[in-house]
Amino acid sequence: MVGWILKKILGSKNQRELKRLMPIVHRTNEFDERFKSLSDEALRAKTAIWKEELAQIPELEDQWKRLDEILPEAFAVVKNAARRLKDRQDTFMVCDQPMKWDMVHFDVQLLGGIVLHRGRIAEMATGEGKTLVATLPLYLNALTGRGVHLVTVNDYLARRDAEWMGRLYDFLGLTVGCIQHDQEPDLRREQYAMDITYGTNSEFGFDYLRDNGMATTREQQVQRGYYYAIVDEVDSILIDEARTPLIISGPATISTHQYDKWKPLIEQLVRKQNMLCNRLASEAIEKFEQGDVETGGRLMFKVKLGQPRNKQLLRMMEDPDKRRAVDKAELSFYQDTRKEELFALKEELFFTIDEKSNEADLSEQGRNFLNPDDPNAFVLPDLINEFTEIDLDPSLSQEEKDKRKAERQQHCDAQAERIHNISQLLRAYCLFEKDVQYVIEENKVVIVDEFTGRKMPGRRWSDGLHQAVEAKEGVQIDRETQTLATITIQNYFRLYQKLAGMTGTAETEAAEFHDIYKLDVNVIPTNRPVARKDHNDRIYKTRREKYNAVINEIRDCHTREQPVLVGTVSVEASELLSRMLKREKIPHNVLNAKFHMQEAEIVSRAGQPGTVTISTNMAGRGTDIKLGASVPDRGGLFVIGTERHEARRIDRQLRGRCARQGDPGSSRFYVSFEDDLMRNFGAADRMTRIMERFGLEEGQELEHRWLNKSVETAQKRVEQRNYLIRKRTLDFDDVMNMQREVVYTYRNETIDSEEPRTLIYEVIDEAVPAKVQEYLAAERDEEPNYTGFLNWVNTTFPLGLTKEKAQFETRTVDENAQFLIGKIKDAYERKSSHEEPAAVKSLERYIILNAIDRLWQEHLYAMDALREGVYLRGYAQKDPLIEYKTEAYDMFVELMANIKNEVLHNLFRSTSNLQAFENFLATLPQFLLREHAPAAPTANAPARGRQLQPVGAMAAVAGDGDGAGEMTLDLPIRRSIPKVGRNEPCPCGSGKKYKNCCGRVA
């Protein structure tokens, strides 16, 4: 109560904030009056003067202070330029259509511009001119010359806004670029070099990944920094799309999928399950008719587990008594005391489906159907035990042991692949529907964004799910992909030194914007009061009744020539409504993922008298709906929502499509108990009581503002769940992000380095002492491994050291490291002296970049596997995130060490010029076979007796000049069994860690 009184007296935090900004708006208008007398050249000259002045200020913080000082004047320049274009009725082309400039900034738009400049989110209602608002802070921040970005939701809007607003920037002497999907790198670089660049979030993100993870020279990189970005439709980009990371993938080296092999069996299995569920549903109906409510409820619950969208089940759920019986059965089975009964119930089905978590799980009956002859077909073998048994078998030779281990590993891989393929096919058949989650185009599966209803060509579901859907639909199955580079949307936008955003609906997600992006939300008042009327939701028992009511409402509006915009959640729903309207002979336009090209055009015509437009909820965002003549007298645009979306924000966005700039308009949502939101997250028991209390008949509706609250409570639950998913994604990606920054910084240092040899020598200075430490620093009572160390030296470098010549025993660990570093650098200088200096620099860069890229890709693959498996640690009462962080750190330390070792390994195995390398080889002595060369026994292979060794002096490379140096060329040992990590248990069965056992001499 006290808070409410204080709010009334002092105003809300948002109102107080806007009140503080109003003096800046007044000063801007004063400057605007003053600038009316200036010529075009004088107005344009201000841009050049400010750019020159800001270029003299080196520090970013000082530049920002200066921008704050000139803000009112700079905003006035932009407003004045817009007025001049309007007064001249300036005409130009936008997306090949003639356009006339007819906009000048309102005071509320100036207010929005100030909020955006200060790095916040401006919530402005649909039709308030957000596109024009962005010109103010973009102009101001572009004066620094650092390049500013405006991020939109699709390529069309990026091009439209760049060409439309570009007219204003061009008038003021700034350059504008636009990034489009299929541009060449050279053209992209030109666009990024402009003062202001428009593009989509995915294009900016993928360019970042290509620049940092794939480019090998500075010329191949296109971006030039992350200074300031404004995100248009910020809620769509930073929240809806944030659950899916951006991934650049390439084809995997080998493809071993068996989707086409298992598809017929899975089809049969799904068919058998459908028949079983239909039979169970019929039995349930009989039981209800006989008065056995408990058994009927149990059977219905069983159907719900096996086929949640079964038509008979949905029809029975309309009856309050039957609904209550199912809920009661479900609650009783989920009690701890009845866990075994629940398990037995699931085992009576072939598989169970969990729509909430998007999972499908085979039962024992289903596994037997797929593999009747092999009871262990779905059991992964315990490799560690099997390897130990093989190692302890005295009757086997080392070669036979290696062969057996390789066979067991191969069997395990094939088993895992089969289980995975079957699991993904089951999900594809049971949880992914055509024209809902995806559409088929040109013999390809194209994903449909669940929030925007837009197609996303080029995107693929990960982990083999996309191939499973391709197999299900009978289209070409593309090869598996391997991650080459990845980043989440959240972490990409956190790169910017200043970030701002604008949207019509951000307030409901203000907490998330603040927690993740440190962005505060300011709600900007509308230029004219909103005249929209939001009616209460109408709630029906079934979808059929709901859609019939929607068609009746559309017919009534069409008869009185009031335009209608119908929002649907999926492509399937929009096509269903379209078919129903065709039956009623009502002309209409359909706007869904299948007609992306005409999106803006169809939406812009939606306000004409008698027009009926069916659209997926978010399609056509960014395009104004202007009312035709006489439409305001008929009540303006009427927006009908056919289903409540998971997020309240998207419902608000749909409502906001009508009543722009003070126009009249109204909106209403139609809801049924069969909608996914109500089935999965609505309070089922409360809904059942409501149905009973009102005694709903066929076609009857419920309508009350309390019911709106009930629906919104369900939406809040989903929003909270989705927020936790995004937060979890970010928590895991933060670990990857720190690693990514280190690797990409190292990569860019290599690309930018004028003298890459210094980086090569840094690697030698760091990696060699680590190796010396590993072999010669004795832990506990173990002896230093001089033989193994000598073997590693002669395998990696052409130093030709012998035991007598090396004399490692006579020096300390540090002295041995320094001795070896000197030898290696001297040998490398001699090798390089045979080659062109410029070519050597390129080669040195290539050696480092190749090591980083190859091992980073392997690391990403390993991190994916770790992330999938780490959740199982929860069963051991361990926090998966902490476990992930610990393991990821160890893996990263190993990655950096491996990169350095790879560089050392390739240092003397690469050349910029074949002739030069042959000249270098000509200085080496002839080779003879000699017994007993120094070699280290490995964990799985005995010391090799015969090695290739040179006889004679190798002064040219060994560097001593006394002719006594010998050089060993030793090919690496091929691994015939899986690699064992340093911290994993040793396969010999000793119980020690591998690094402290057989790994000591590896």
Side-chain angles (χ1 to χ4, degrees):
M1 187 66 186
V2 175
W4 182 82
I5 293 166
L6 285 172
K7 200 171 178 180
K8 280 291 176 191
I9 298 167
L10 302 173
S12 66
K13 180 176 180 284
N14 187 64
Q15 287 166 331
R16 294 197 301 276
E17 193 73 44
L18 296 180
K19 200 173 179 181
R20 278 199 289 272
L21 299 178
M22 281 313 291
I24 301 173
V25 174
H26 298 320
R27 281 184 61 208
T28 301
N29 287 328
E30 286 166 17
F31 276 117
D32 178 38
E33 285 299 318
R34 219 181 295 169
F35 292 160
K36 283 180 181 176
S37 59
L38 294 178
S39 66
D40 288 358
E41 286 70 29
L43 193 69
R44 205 174 286 123
K46 287 191 171 291
T47 304
I49 292 164
W50 283 326
K51 280 186 92 167
E52 200 174 321
E53 181 192 339
L54 287 159
Q56 306 302 317
I57 304 172
E59 291 299 319
L60 186 60
E61 294 291 330
D62 297 332
Q63 280 189 337
W64 281 349
K65 281 177 192 165
R66 182 61 187 139
L67 289 182
D68 288 341
E69 289 165 14
I70 64 170
L71 183 145
E73 206 174 336
F75 278 20
V77 166
V78 180
K79 182 174 179 177
N80 200 275
R83 182 181 289 105
R84 291 178 190 217
L85 290 174
K86 185 182 178 184
D87 292 345
R88 292 168 193 173
Q89 296 194 335
D90 192 70
T91 308
F92 51 100
M93 300 298 284
V94 173
C95 294
D96 306 319
Q97 299 292 319
M99 173 80 80
K100 190 194 289 182
W101 188 277
D102 61 349
M103 299 178 293
V104 182
H105 304 77
F106 302 128
D107 283 0
V108 288
Q109 289 175 314
L110 296 175
L111 206 55
I114 299 165
V115 167
L116 291 175
H117 168 68
R118 295 193 170 185
R120 296 180 192 165
I121 291 173
E123 180 179 306
M124 302 180 74
T126 306
E128 289 296 305
K130 290 187 284 291
T131 311
L132 185 65
V133 171
T135 57
L136 299 160
L138 286 176
Y139 170 79
L140 178 62
N141 285 276
L143 296 172
T144 60
R146 293 173 183 264
V148 295
H149 299 163
L150 188 128
V151 187
T152 66
V153 287
N154 64 32
D155 274 349
Y156 166 76
L157 289 180
R159 183 184 164 200
R160 185 202 72 178
D161 293 355
E163 292 179 6
W164 190 10
M165 299 300 124
R167 188 72 194 91
L168 184 59
Y169 301 129
D170 190 44
F171 182 85
L172 290 166
L174 289 180
T175 54
V176 186
C178 176
I179 305 293
Q180 294 282 289
H181 176 61
D182 47 4
Q183 281 176 342
E184 292 296 316
D186 291 341
L187 186 54
R188 281 177 186 267
R189 198 175 305 106
E190 283 174 26
Q191 306 305 313
Y192 280 115
M194 304 289 188
D195 295 314
I196 298 163
T197 308
Y198 284 74
T200 64
N201 57 309
S202 52
E203 290 303 317
F204 284 120
F206 286 136
D207 282 339
Y208 165 77
L209 291 175
R210 279 189 286 262
D211 279 3
N212 291 279
M214 301 171 89
T216 54
T217 62
R218 174 53 67 198
E219 290 68 42
Q220 287 175 7
Q221 296 181 323
V222 296
Q223 292 186 335
R224 62 181 180 120
Y226 311 95
Y227 163 57
Y228 176 61
I230 295 178
V231 183
D232 192 9
E233 308 297 1
V234 68
D235 58 315
S236 175
I237 290 172
L238 296 194
I239 289 182
D240 297 338
E241 299 202 11
R243 279 194 286 173
T244 314
L246 297 173
I247 296 172
I248 290 183
S249 56
T253 45
I254 50 168
S255 184
T256 55
H257 76 78
Q258 303 163 3
Y259 293 109
D260 32 14
K261 176 187 169 186
W262 290 102
K263 176 191 169 181
L265 275 172
I266 295 291
E267 261 182 2
Q268 283 180 45
L269 185 73
V270 171
R271 209 175 298 125
K272 281 181 86 75
Q273 175 99 329
N274 291 349
M275 287 161 65
L276 173 65
C277 288
N278 286 335
R279 196 181 74 238
L280 289 170
S282 302
E283 286 175 22
I285 292 168
E286 283 175 26
K287 292 294 179 188
F288 281 125
E289 285 170 356
Q290 292 165 13
D292 189 351
V293 176
E294 190 177 335
T295 311
R298 184 180 178 280
L299 288 166
M300 279 177 70
F301 173 55
K302 198 166 162 184
V303 176
K304 189 177 176 182
L305 286 172
Q307 200 182 4
R309 293 178 188 167
N310 182 284
K311 285 189 170 65
Q312 289 186 73
L313 173 72
L314 294 175
R315 185 63 59 85
M316 281 192 277
M317 293 292 266
E318 295 166 17
D319 185 307
D321 293 330
K322 290 173 186 168
R323 180 186 275 269
R324 195 191 301 105
V326 176
D327 295 341
K328 190 176 175 185
E330 188 167 358
L331 282 170
S332 68
F333 272 112
Y334 279 117
Q335 291 169 3
D336 282 349
T337 51
R338 300 192 67 182
K339 271 186 178 174
E340 288 182 12
E341 284 181 67
L342 177 62
F343 179 74
L345 189 77
K346 287 180 177 178
E347 286 301 314
E348 290 169 23
L349 297 162
F350 290 98
F351 54 85
T352 54
I353 296 172
D354 184 352
E355 282 190 307
K356 280 187 193 176
S357 59
N358 229 18
E359 289 297 333
D361 186 29
L362 275 174
S363 67
E364 195 60 42
Q365 191 181 174
R367 288 192 276 271
N368 288 338
F369 174 80
L370 292 173
N371 264 73
D373 305 327
D374 185 0
N376 293 323
F378 291 88
V379 179
L380 284 177
D382 184 348
L383 280 185
I384 291 177
N385 278 350
E386 290 188 8
F387 281 10
T388 306
E389 284 171 20
I390 292 168
D391 279 330
L392 296 175
D393 187 344
S395 65
L396 298 174
S397 68
Q398 186 62 44
E399 206 171 297
E400 286 171 325
K401 285 180 182 179
D402 292 348
K403 190 179 175 186
R404 290 268 181 98
K405 287 178 181 177
E407 284 170 3
R408 297 315 299 156
Q409 177 70 48
Q410 210 169 354
H411 170 68
C412 179
D413 291 346
Q415 197 92 319
E417 181 80 37
R418 182 172 65 238
I419 294 168
H420 178 68
N421 286 177
I422 289 170
S423 167
Q424 295 295 45
L425 269 171
L426 203 55
R427 286 179 69 201
Y429 271 93
C430 301
L431 293 158
F432 288 79
E433 286 186 45
K434 185 179 169 184
D435 287 341
V436 180
Q437 281 95 346
Y438 63 92
V439 292
I440 303 294
E441 252 185 21
E442 296 173 7
N443 208 32
K444 285 192 182 299
V445 171
V446 180
I447 300 174
V448 173
D449 188 310
E450 63 175 308
F451 288 98
T452 62
R454 291 194 172 103
K455 285 178 300 185
M456 300 190 288
R459 287 208 189 175
R460 292 175 66 79
W461 285 304
S462 59
D463 217 19
L465 177 60
H466 206 95
Q467 290 161 296
V469 175
E470 286 171 335
K472 169 192 167 186
E473 293 296 340
V475 301
Q476 180 189 335
I477 303 175
D478 289 339
R479 277 181 69 174
E480 285 174 62
T481 54
Q482 181 182 331
T483 302
L484 304 181
T486 175
I487 190 170
T488 56
I489 296 282
Q490 289 110 317
N491 277 321
Y492 173 70
F493 283 108
R494 282 161 150 194
L495 293 169
Y496 284 91
Q497 284 148 323
K498 187 161 65 168
L499 183 65
M502 49 189 188
T503 177
T505 48
E507 211 177 3
T508 54
E509 312 288 352
E512 181 168 348
F513 283 125
H514 185 268
D515 290 350
I516 291 178
Y517 303 99
K518 302 292 177 279
L519 286 171
D520 290 321
V521 177
N522 283 132
V523 182
I524 309 296
T526 53
N527 187 42
R528 294 176 185 160
V530 177
R532 185 181 72 237
K533 187 175 181 191
D534 295 329
H535 300 287
N536 291 327
D537 293 1
R538 284 186 174 161
I539 300 179
Y540 296 84
K541 275 205 297 190
T542 65
R543 277 186 176 164
R544 184 168 36 83
E545 294 167 52
K546 176 184 77 174
Y547 284 133
N548 286 333
V550 168
I551 296 296
N552 292 335
E553 185 83 71
I554 293 171
R555 193 193 300 108
D556 293 346
C557 292
H558 186 65
T559 307
R560 59 175 183 269
E561 291 208 322
Q562 181 179 8
V564 183
L565 177 68
V566 185
T568 62
V569 170
S570 67
V571 178
E572 183 190 40
S574 64
E575 292 191 339
L576 172 68
L577 273 169
S578 176
R579 287 197 296 273
M580 291 174 81
L581 286 171
K582 276 178 188 164
R583 264 206 315 270
E584 296 291 326
K585 296 187 170 53
I586 297 173
H588 59 280
N589 292 314
V590 180
L591 176 65
N592 60 31
K594 294 187 173 179
F595 304 104
H596 196 173
M597 299 294 285
Q598 309 101 302
E599 188 174 292
E601 194 184 335
I602 294 174
V603 167
S604 63
R605 293 201 304 266
Q608 299 307 310
T611 307
V612 177
T613 309
I614 301 173
S615 152
T616 40
N617 275 352
M618 303 263 284
R621 260 178 103 157
T623 308
D624 271 356
I625 299 177
K626 293 178 181 172
L627 299 184
S630 76
V631 169
D633 305 332
R634 297 187 174 100
L637 180 65
F638 186 36
V639 170
I640 295 175
T642 59
E643 198 170 321
R644 283 283 198 156
H645 203 278
E646 283 186 354
R648 289 169 296 163
R649 196 168 31 81
I650 294 174
D651 292 344
R652 287 181 61 204
Q653 191 81 35
L654 184 63
R655 288 191 198 277
R657 301 315 302 259
C658 65
R660 60 178 288 286
Q661 289 290 333
D663 287 341
S666 52
S667 68
R668 186 192 298 279
F669 277 87
Y670 286 76
V671 181
S672 83
F673 290 140
E674 289 181 359
D675 293 347
D676 291 344
L677 178 76
M678 302 306 287
R679 278 193 307 115
N680 292 333
F681 299 96
D685 51 341
R686 192 189 307 156
M687 290 298 171
T688 307
R689 286 200 301 273
I690 290 167
M691 287 162 73
E692 277 185 326
R693 193 176 301 146
F694 290 99
L696 278 183
E697 299 295 325
E698 176 81 22
Q700 264 191 306
E701 68 197 38
L702 293 172
E703 185 181 336
H704 198 280
R705 65 174 183 277
W706 290 355
L707 287 174
N708 298 2
K709 283 273 191 302
S710 181
V711 174
E712 282 181 11
T713 304
Q715 287 177 304
K716 282 178 187 170
R717 280 192 201 124
V718 188
E719 283 170 14
Q720 188 61 29
R721 174 174 160 273
N722 287 345
Y723 170 55
L724 290 173
I725 291 171
R726 289 189 292 267
K727 189 83 173 71
R728 200 71 170 163
T729 302
L730 188 66
D731 288 340
F732 277 97
D733 196 66
D734 277 345
V735 179
M736 273 297 295
N737 199 47
M738 288 184 273
Q739 298 184 3
R740 187 189 301 113
E741 281 177 15
V742 173
V743 170
Y744 284 179
T745 304
Y746 185 24
R747 222 179 164 282
N748 285 327
E749 272 178 25
T750 307
I751 289 171
D752 294 337
S753 172
E754 291 296 320
E755 288 296 332
R757 186 163 303 183
T758 56
L759 295 174
I760 294 276
Y761 282 178
E762 275 176 25
V763 169
I764 294 171
D765 292 339
E766 289 171 19
V768 171
K771 277 288 180 187
V772 175
Q773 195 79 15
E774 185 184 323
Y775 280 99
L776 305 187
E779 289 179 22
R780 297 191 296 277
D781 300 326
E782 295 171 13
E783 289 294 312
N785 183 7
Y786 293 113
T787 310
F789 182 54
L790 184 60
N791 182 59
W792 175 78
V793 171
N794 284 328
T795 306
T796 313
F797 311 106
L799 298 184
L801 291 179
T802 61
K803 194 173 182 181
E804 296 74 29
K805 189 162 184 323
Q807 294 184 346
F808 290 134
E809 298 89 339
T810 62
R811 303 186 196 87
T812 65
V813 170
D814 291 341
E815 285 169 352
N816 273 323
Q818 292 311 311
F819 163 75
L820 207 51
I821 287 168
K823 287 266 186 198
I824 294 165
K825 288 182 180 177
D826 188 36
Y828 185 69
E829 291 292 340
R830 288 165 186 267
K831 173 188 175 287
S832 305
S833 65
H834 289 269
E835 300 176 58
E836 285 290 321
V840 170
K841 283 186 182 181
S842 298
L843 178 66
E844 287 166 345
R845 274 196 201 94
Y846 174 77
I847 288 171
I848 300 175
L849 292 176
N850 188 50
I852 293 171
D853 292 349
R854 192 179 71 76
L855 292 166
W856 175 243
Q857 285 166 26
E858 285 181 15
H859 180 70
L860 288 176
Y861 189 76
M863 289 288 279
D864 280 348
L866 171 66
R867 187 166 170 179
E868 279 173 33
V870 83
Y871 287 104
L872 298 173
R873 312 262 175 107
Y875 292 116
Q877 306 303 311
K878 292 178 179 176
D879 182 346
L881 183 61
I882 291 170
E883 292 290 303
Y884 179 76
K885 286 179 177 176
T886 309
E887 296 249 348
Y889 176 75
D890 292 343
M891 285 167 69
F892 185 67
V893 170
E894 197 173 331
L895 166 75
M896 297 311 284
N898 288 345
I899 287 173
K900 288 166 188 165
N901 291 333
E902 178 94 349
V903 171
L904 293 185
H905 180 78
N906 291 328
L907 205 52
F908 291 93
R909 288 174 170 81
S910 312
T911 181
S912 60
N913 181 305
L914 188 60
Q915 186 61 48
F917 197 60
E918 286 173 356
N919 293 343
F920 167 63
L921 291 177
T923 65
L924 305 183
Q926 298 299 306
F927 290 91
L928 297 173
L929 277 176
R930 177 185 290 180
E931 301 289 334
H932 314 304
T938 65
N940 306 304
R944 287 169 293 165
R946 295 172 70 81
Q947 297 274 342
L948 276 177
Q949 272 218 305
V951 177
M954 194 203 151
V957 181
D960 275 5
D962 58 1
E966 288 188 282
M967 174 184 173
T968 305
L969 289 183
D970 191 8
L971 294 172
I973 300 161
R974 296 287 171 205
R975 188 184 297 116
S976 58
I977 65 159
K979 182 182 176 183
V980 183
R982 296 181 70 246
N983 291 311
E984 290 177 16
C986 189
C988 74
S990 65
K992 293 182 184 178
K993 286 187 177 179
Y994 180 64
K995 66 180 180 185
N996 295 329
C997 188
C998 299
R1000 288 268 312 137
V1001 290

